[in-house]
Amino acid sequence: MAVTLQDFLSVVSQFARDKPALAVAIVALLWPVVCVFAFGLLLLSPILLVGGLALHFQLWNPQLPAPVTQAAGGAPRKKAVEAAPVPQYKLLPDQRKTTAPGSTRDCFAELEKLFQEKILIIDGAMGTSIQKYKLEEEDYRGEEYKNHGHDLKGNNDLLVITRPDVIREIHNNYLGAGADIIETNTFNGTTISQDDYNLGTLEEVRKINIAGAKLAKECAAEFMKKDPSKPRFVAGAIGPTNKTLSVSPSVENPAFRACCWDEIVQAYCEQAEALLEGGVDVFMVETIFDTLNAKAALFAIDTLFDRLGYKIPVLVSGTIVDNSGRTLSGQTNEAFWNSISHNKPIGVGLNCALGATDMVKYIENLDRVSDTYVFCYPNAGLPNAMGGYDQKPSEMAEECRPFLEKGIINAIGGCCGSTFEHIAAIAEMAKEYKPRKKHDVLPLMRLSGLEAYNYEPNPADMRSTFINIGERCNVAGSTIFKKAIVDNNMEKALAIALKQVQQGANVVDINMDDGLIDAIPAMTKFVNLLVSEPDVSKVPFMIDSSKFHVVEAGLQCSQGKCMLNSISLKGGEAEFIRHAQLAKRYGAAVVVMAFDEEGQAATEPEKIRICQRAYTVLVEKVGFNPQDIIFDPNILTIGTGMAEHNNYAVDFINATREIKRRCPGAKISGGVSNLAFSFRGNEPVRRAFHSVFLYHACQAGMDMGIVNAAQVIEDKYEKIDKELLEYVEDLLFNRCENATERMLEYSATLDPKSKPCALKKINAKFEASPRVNYTPGNDNVKPPAPGTLCKVPDYTSMPDQRKTT
């Protein structure tokens, strides 16, 4: 029968009562043995605890990296991440075909060859040529529109249906003058533009674009039949529409737009598909006075290419409205290029508004900044008082000569005021010159607002090139901004944005994620207002939301190249790829949070693992430009009183260094204010933590952060109070076990409204608790020896596998 503990204690108690003297003697003899045994257990307890934990993690998590070890003096230090073999990476190519179904012509290959061999000739103005025929209302109506209820005179696109003989003759004249590329007469061939004539239906727009494309193709084919040695190309003309996404038509309401992104995208997609059906060889997205319209056109075209499984070359031409060198919506031409370069057009150029002489310096700039072919087709001088153009063909050719002498173009043509005689003169003159040589540009992250922002880090001093992302237009980061948005006080909200830029923010973060705010209309309205304020919109925006559809709403309102914050692997790889593909199509740089299906990365190995996985997916499965990948490895709060949080800053800094090494071109960002959240309310302490952290994180390669720009510029590391600095770095580097307690004791002696570089104390008499298990220095974040590092992967860019015919 089993003996219970209660039975045993009963027997012992009875023995002590019966024989007390003997019981005392036995206890006296056993007591030293018990004490020695207990002391031995106390000494062995750390070893038993560590061994037990190691056994537990080995049994239940056999794939986890090496455990934390103890540095000299007791400060926890993680072992270097194991130098495991790194996979060989290949950047995903564009897999869309470059030949259309049923065709053998690869216009990409043909144009690439010709652009390198000679200066190609683009045709001249269609409108100017039509004017010479002095057409009347009946010409525009023809039989098909005889009873149409709206005047049609001036709707030149309609002539491909009602007077195809006129348009055919114009095409033939330009081809005879030497044009290699002729444009379809479809400049206004969208439902939006045709609405002005009550013809804004899909049926009518399809008829115009298909007829226009087929007519031009017939003309080109006839000339190629006569001379097969001279290829001719038909460019589907896609104009800017008569609406603008970046400018309000209402002076009283700058946030108002006459149409939205989705409407513009749909209209362009319909036009592009009809032009393809008609057989165009190239798309010409031209006369861009608002870059956001152009981005919508390129978004539509790329979406169409994906749906059809093949692509054709795209040419993109902007319009500088005057000698300010800016588009109508305010962008410089380098900012314009940064905004549309993600589409990788085969050529970029300028047309309209200016004559050749005034256009030279802007083409020189495009030649410098772009890594594609460059073209232009200026006006025939400037218009006279009656709106006509007086420049003769020989005069225009001479004005165009500097483009060729400087070697800055691959193609040239004419815009307003030019005729086939002008094109003939230019073509004859161009025979003397060699084309511009296409060149590479430095691989940089190139953003834009109204102005270009090209991030060129200084590896020797990353703090000097750090990108300050202003945090004050984030409802989670500023109660003042949140109240302004909730109260619909947009004037105050704009003032907050402007102040940030004035105080040194290079990028403005915009976030509307709050339960009291309807995020999509709030984001749309605020970004539209910011775009109308040039002193703010000159810098790029970071469109920030945990909801991807809210991020899209912001991107659809900004003509510049933005940062998208953020996407992650949290929802799985399929969703991550879908979001990344859309980010790429919008032309945004993308912030990737260090999250995956298992949760948030907290330790150095987890941060590296997740970011490297995300990088692999982005470059190999999405074809994302590595320069536009920004990792946020999670700046987590230290000084919480929880020991497992003590190494968070060290983990971030060390992970930053290794992620930058393993993921070439990628950037590192983070929300810096998270770090010292435990000390909110104590300004000198929090600000000191931010500045000190940035100083050390930038040495490891951190590129940017969401910060209070004015404060991090003012609080220079070298000027921080030395006593405060010592306490901050003890906690930041996890140099002693009681760093948090010491920081709390010390912070209580400070004026909570003072500054870290001008510290004020409210209690001069103070003696901190002595450090426990102290390790001096900052060895925790020193770079590992080069010989201990794993091999950096080799990456190969993802090709575009869409057909080109």
Side-chain angles (χ1 to χ4, degrees):
M1 188 173 74
V3 179
T4 64
L5 177 60
Q6 185 176 1
D7 294 335
F8 174 74
L9 293 176
S10 177
V11 171
V12 171
S13 177
Q14 185 62 44
F15 176 78
R17 284 195 296 272
D18 293 344
K19 297 179 179 181
L22 183 58
V24 170
I26 291 171
V27 170
L29 288 171
L30 293 177
W31 179 247
V33 177
V34 172
C35 289
V36 171
F37 180 72
F39 186 66
L41 283 177
L42 183 63
L43 290 176
L44 291 172
S45 61
I47 297 172
L48 293 172
L49 177 61
V50 172
L53 288 172
L55 180 62
H56 169 78
F57 280 105
Q58 184 63 32
L59 289 172
W60 293 102
N61 296 281
Q63 300 304 315
L64 285 180
V68 172
T69 59
Q70 205 74 5
R77 170 98 183 270
K78 291 194 183 299
K79 286 183 177 178
V81 176
E82 296 294 335
V86 179
Q88 301 295 305
Y89 298 99
K90 294 185 178 180
L91 296 176
L92 179 67
D94 189 333
Q95 299 177 343
R96 295 171 291 195
K97 295 180 180 178
T98 53
T99 53
S103 172
T104 58
R105 190 178 191 189
D106 186 340
C107 292
F108 279 96
E110 288 186 41
L111 283 171
E112 281 279 350
K113 182 175 182 292
L114 290 170
F115 275 139
Q116 296 172 40
E117 292 176 349
K118 67 172 192 172
I119 295 170
L120 296 186
I121 304 301
I122 304 170
D123 65 5
M126 177 62 72
T128 301
S129 299
I130 290 172
Q131 287 173 10
K132 292 182 179 296
Y133 288 85
K134 302 186 184 303
L135 301 178
E136 298 297 335
E137 178 70 21
E138 54 268 23
D139 294 297
Y140 287 89
R141 287 181 175 273
E143 283 299 314
E144 186 159 352
Y145 299 99
K146 183 168 58 176
N147 298 318
H148 188 65
H150 193 285
D151 288 346
L152 295 177
K153 186 177 180 180
N155 187 359
N156 288 342
D157 295 32
L158 204 57
L159 295 173
V160 298
I161 297 171
T162 60
R163 289 297 307 270
D165 57 313
V166 171
I167 305 305
R168 183 184 297 276
E169 186 171 53
I170 292 170
H171 285 324
N172 287 337
N173 285 340
Y174 280 127
L175 289 165
D180 300 288
I181 302 171
I182 60 169
E183 293 189 50
T184 58
N185 182 36
T186 56
F187 185 82
N188 289 306
T190 60
T191 53
I192 291 172
S193 295
Q194 288 299 316
D195 265 342
D196 285 353
Y197 299 95
N198 288 349
L199 291 172
T201 66
L202 178 58
E203 179 186 0
E204 295 294 346
V205 164
R206 280 182 55 76
K207 281 197 296 187
I208 289 171
N209 285 283
I210 292 172
K214 286 184 175 180
L215 184 58
K217 284 288 288 184
E218 288 170 6
C219 296
E222 288 173 7
F223 273 79
M224 286 178 68
K225 188 176 180 180
K226 294 175 186 175
D227 184 3
S229 67
K230 183 177 174 64
R232 310 296 180 115
F233 301 88
V234 172
I238 298 176
T241 80
N242 53 6
K243 300 289 192 296
T244 169
L245 288 170
S246 294
V247 181
S248 172
S250 169
V251 177
E252 293 78 17
N253 184 4
F256 174 72
R257 297 293 183 269
C259 59
C260 69
W261 169 273
D262 288 340
E263 292 171 324
I264 293 281
V265 168
Q266 181 179 345
Y268 278 133
C269 194
E270 292 164 351
Q271 181 181 24
E273 186 168 13
L275 286 169
L276 274 180
E277 190 173 329
V280 298
D281 305 306
V282 184
F283 282 135
M284 175 72 86
V285 181
E286 64 178 342
T287 320
I288 298 164
F289 58 82
D290 178 357
T291 310
L292 189 53
N293 282 44
K295 287 172 70 176
L298 297 174
F299 187 98
I301 289 168
D302 199 60
T303 303
L304 178 63
F305 286 163
D306 265 2
R307 177 158 59 83
L308 298 178
Y310 72 96
K311 63 177 184 175
I312 64 172
V314 177
L315 297 167
V316 181
S317 184
T319 295
I320 302 297
V321 294
D322 55 35
N323 277 313
S324 67
R326 295 177 182 264
T327 62
L328 182 66
S329 56
Q331 275 198 315
T332 66
N333 68 340
E334 185 174 1
F336 157 70
W337 168 244
N338 285 4
S339 294
I340 59 98
S341 61
H342 64 278
N343 189 262
K344 299 187 181 303
I346 197 169
V348 63
L350 297 175
N351 75 288
C352 204
L354 301 177
T357 300
D358 292 330
M359 195 180 279
V360 170
K361 58 186 175 182
Y362 306 119
I363 291 295
E364 283 184 306
N365 195 47
L366 274 183
D367 163 55
R368 177 181 62 83
V369 303
S370 62
D371 56 358
T372 190
Y373 297 106
V374 174
F375 62 90
C376 66
Y377 46 114
N379 289 347
L382 297 176
N384 57 33
M386 302 300 293
Y389 292 84
D390 302 322
Q391 197 169 70
K392 296 176 181 177
S394 59
E395 294 171 343
M396 184 178 182
E398 281 306 308
E399 280 206 3
C400 288
R401 191 179 293 275
F403 294 119
L404 289 74
E405 290 176 334
K406 291 174 180 287
I408 57 176
I409 58 168
N410 301 99
I412 190 167
C415 201
C416 300
S418 64
T419 63
F420 71 91
E421 291 97 338
H422 293 82
I423 298 306
I426 292 171
E428 185 62 31
M429 182 265 296
K431 291 177 182 178
E432 306 171 25
Y433 297 93
K434 293 182 178 180
R436 165 186 176 269
K437 290 185 178 180
K438 187 172 73 168
H439 58 79
D440 292 330
V441 295
L442 281 175
L444 303 175
M445 181 177 68
R446 299 174 184 272
L447 308 173
S448 61
L450 294 181
E451 299 171 5
Y453 185 85
N454 302 325
Y455 172 57
E456 191 166 358
N458 177 5
D461 183 8
M462 293 290 286
R463 188 69 184 89
S464 67
T465 52
F466 185 80
I467 301 175
N468 293 310
I469 303 172
E471 67 181 359
R472 310 312 293 173
C473 289
N474 184 325
V475 294
S478 170
T479 55
I480 298 173
F481 180 74
K482 175 183 172 181
K483 187 176 188 305
I485 296 298
V486 171
D487 294 344
N488 198 31
N489 187 347
M490 289 299 168
E491 186 175 345
K492 186 171 185 178
L494 282 172
I496 293 170
L498 177 60
K499 186 175 181 180
Q500 287 186 101
V501 176
Q502 291 171 338
Q503 292 180 334
N506 307 114
V507 177
V508 174
D509 179 60
I510 306 165
N511 182 294
M512 298 291 176
D513 287 357
D514 187 89
L516 296 176
I517 298 170
D518 191 350
I520 289 180
M523 178 69 79
T524 300
K525 183 175 184 179
F526 187 62
V527 176
N528 279 344
L529 285 170
L530 285 184
V531 167
S532 68
E533 178 48 70
D535 289 334
V536 178
S537 58
K538 67 181 181 181
V539 304
F541 299 151
M542 173 179 274
I543 308 298
D544 184 355
S545 178
S546 60
K547 303 175 182 68
F548 194 79
H549 59 282
V550 177
V551 171
E552 286 193 273
L555 293 175
Q556 292 170 4
C557 298
S558 177
Q559 66 176 327
K561 179 175 179 178
C562 301
M563 296 178 180
L564 184 162
N565 187 8
S566 62
I567 62 174
S568 77
L569 287 158
K570 186 177 181 180
E573 194 167 298
E575 181 183 272
F576 179 72
I577 289 173
R578 184 176 67 84
H579 288 167
Q581 288 171 335
L582 279 169
K584 181 183 175 186
R585 188 162 288 160
Y586 281 113
V590 65
V591 177
V592 181
M593 298 296 297
F595 276 84
D596 67 3
E597 300 89 339
E598 297 175 13
Q600 183 181 46
T603 66
E604 178 189 345
E606 290 170 346
K607 295 175 192 290
I608 295 168
R609 175 183 62 81
I610 292 175
C611 290
Q612 186 171 341
R613 177 190 170 197
Y615 185 86
T616 304
V617 172
L618 288 171
V619 299
E620 292 194 343
K621 297 184 178 180
V622 181
F624 218 92
N625 180 358
Q627 297 295 330
D628 289 339
I629 299 172
I630 305 162
F631 287 115
D632 184 339
N634 306 321
I635 298 176
L636 302 175
T637 305
I638 60 175
T640 64
M642 300 177 70
E644 58 266 35
H645 298 174
N646 291 348
N647 225 59
Y648 278 166
V650 172
D651 282 333
F652 182 93
I653 292 170
N654 287 335
T656 291
R657 184 182 297 107
E658 186 64 8
I659 292 166
K660 292 288 290 284
R661 192 182 72 84
R662 293 195 190 188
C663 304
K667 313 296 183 288
I668 299 293
S669 181
V672 178
S673 61
N674 294 338
L675 180 74
F677 196 70
S678 299
F679 299 94
R680 60 191 182 278
N682 194 314
E683 281 296 290
V685 173
R686 287 198 74 195
R687 288 173 61 168
F689 267 109
H690 299 163
S691 179
V692 175
F693 175 80
L694 285 177
Y695 176 82
H696 293 290
C698 286
Q699 289 183 343
M702 187 176 180
D703 300 275
M704 65 192 77
I706 301 175
V707 296
N708 184 311
Q711 290 180 0
V712 298
I713 291 172
E714 179 183 356
D715 301 337
K716 296 186 182 300
Y717 176 84
E718 296 78 10
K719 295 182 179 180
I720 291 174
D721 181 271
K722 300 308 177 194
E723 186 179 32
L724 172 59
L725 180 63
E726 188 73 14
Y727 282 96
V728 167
E729 291 191 335
D730 277 356
L731 182 49
L732 191 74
F733 295 133
N734 195 14
R735 293 197 295 211
C736 61
E737 292 180 3
N738 62 335
T740 299
E741 291 77 6
R742 283 169 45 82
M743 186 76 252
L744 288 169
E745 292 170 3
Y746 180 70
S747 64
T749 71
L750 307 179
D751 179 351
K753 300 300 180 184
S754 61
K755 299 178 180 180
C757 299
L759 200 61
K760 296 179 183 178
K761 291 188 176 181
I762 55 178
N763 182 5
K765 295 180 180 181
F766 167 72
E767 185 174 343
S769 302
R771 295 181 175 104
V772 176
N773 239 349
Y774 174 63
T775 302
N778 60 345
D779 287 348
N780 284 13
V781 294
K782 282 189 176 179
T788 66
L789 300 173
C790 60
K791 182 181 179 295
V792 177
D794 294 327
Y795 300 95
T796 304
S797 180
M798 177 193 97
D800 187 335
Q801 296 179 347
R802 295 174 290 197
K803 295 179 183 178
T804 54
T805 58

